[in-house]
Each structure stands twice: as C-alpha cells, then as structure tokens.
Amino acid sequence: MPLEIERKFLVADDSWQSASQDATDLRQGYLNLEQRCSIRVRTDGRRGWLNNKGATIGAERPEYEYEIPLADAEQLLQRFAVGPLVEKT
C-alpha cells in the first residue's frame, strides 16, 4: 500500500525563494468532506489527477494518485467539487 509521510516545516523568512527554479499553477477541489478519507481532483492546465488519501495514523496515511484526462478532471471539478476551488502556485 502506498504511504504518504507528512512533513511540515516552519518558514522563517523569504530566503527560500532565491533557490526556487520552477513554479506550477495548480487548481484543485475536493469531492467529499469525510474525515475517514479525502478525494481530490487537481489540474495544472495540461494534466489532471485523481487523489485519494486515507486518515492519518501518526505521520503516515495511505495515498493513491492516478493521472486522468484533463477534460475529465475539469468536469469533475465543475460538477462535483465541494466548496470553493483552491488555486495555488
């Protein structure tokens, strides 16, 4: 079973930006509001992904991610996203 390990870091200032080389604009939405698992759709303008994450146990949680056609991802976001979409770079 694939596992994701969450790691979080405190960013003290903007000095990390000088090391950044690439940026990708992402758009995402959630298809459910369950605590047991989350189902997310994400696009980057060229590709789409469907992601399912289980509940966190300690620092780990099961995660499954599949690339899907961009048109399918956009339709899922439009028709089934719960709440506002998230746009980030």
Side-chain angles (χ1 to χ4, degrees):
M1 169 183 358
L3 290 176
E4 173 188 57
I5 298 176
E6 290 279 339
R7 293 196 166 99
K8 297 180 182 182
F9 301 90
L10 176 62
V11 178
D13 57 42
D14 292 338
S15 62
W16 63 270
Q17 291 179 339
S18 63
S20 177
Q21 297 176 4
D22 295 316
T24 301
D25 292 326
L26 299 173
R27 189 168 165 244
Q28 71 182 37
Y30 290 87
L31 305 185
N32 71 337
L33 294 175
E34 301 291 325
Q35 291 183 350
R36 180 172 64 89
C37 72
S38 68
I39 301 173
R40 176 185 73 204
V41 175
R42 182 181 278 174
T43 66
D44 71 357
R46 297 175 317 221
R47 297 173 295 171
W49 297 270
L50 182 64
N51 178 280
N52 184 340
K53 291 184 183 184
T56 301
I57 301 170
E60 298 178 345
R61 63 183 174 171
E63 177 180 13
Y64 301 89
E65 184 168 79
Y66 305 95
E67 189 167 343
I68 62 175
L70 178 61
D72 291 357
E74 289 174 344
Q75 286 183 14
L76 286 167
L77 288 173
Q78 179 182 7
R79 294 179 179 175
F80 302 116
V82 178
L85 299 182
V86 176
E87 295 185 14
K88 57 188 179 179
T89 301

